[in-house]
Amino acid sequence: MIKVGLGVDVHAFEEGRPCILGGVVIPHPRGLTGHSDADALVHAIMDALLGAVGERDIGHFFPNTDARWKDADSLHLLAKVRETLAARKAAIHNVDATLIAQEPKLAPHLPVMLENLSRVLGIPAGRIAVKATTCEWMGFVGRKEGVVALAVACVDTE
Ligand code: MG
């Protein structure tokens, strides 16, 4: 059976934090704030994958009250989500994601994000898409207060 899941995540910028998206440390004066490494792209993809198999959200699996996930590498958490899907015999078919950020410029980093996601999800990069767009200077993204990530995942399960 083919199943689809949706994931959405938002993180705010903060001084003194690294800016990590798709597992790439992006040179930028401000990073993203959160309990883990605040990788909004990976978080949205995790929620899309969990949603596709009818699981609860990442806040349930990796609560921000748990010291284990403090500054956690979100690619490591994504690997755990992959294990959850494997245990349910759900094969990841494809993932499509979009980052919305006024800054930093994301396009130069998309190929490495794809490599990271392909490696951790165990599917060819050709089955993963990561796009980037701005918010045309409107709203909190346009004011450079934070970023939004959206993802859908398609899985094949029994
Ligand atoms: Mg998050």
Side-chain angles (χ1 to χ4, degrees), residues 8-11 33-44 46-47 58 74:
V8 179
D9 198 27
V10 177
H11 280 274
T33 187
H35 183 67
S36 67
D37 65 4
D39 189 329
L41 174 62
V42 171
H43 293 181
M46 289 162 69
D47 263 343
I58 59 171
S74 291

Side-chain angles (χ1 to χ4, degrees), residues 66-82:
D66 190 329
R68 274 183 299 169
W69 317 126
K70 178 89 183 97
D71 296 323
D73 177 348
S74 291
L75 288 178
H76 177 67
L77 307 184
L78 181 63
K80 288 184 174 295
V81 169
R82 179 190 172 185

Side-chain angles (χ1 to χ4, degrees), residues 1-6 45 48-53 85 90-96 121 123 127 151-157:
M1 192 188 298
I2 297 289
K3 292 182 172 175
V4 173
L6 166 72
I45 291 171
L49 291 167
L50 290 168
V53 295
L85 266 69
I92 302 166
H93 190 270
N94 74 296
V95 169
D96 183 19
L121 292 175
I123 60 174
R127 295 210 212 166
V152 289
C154 183
V155 306
D156 204 345
T157 188

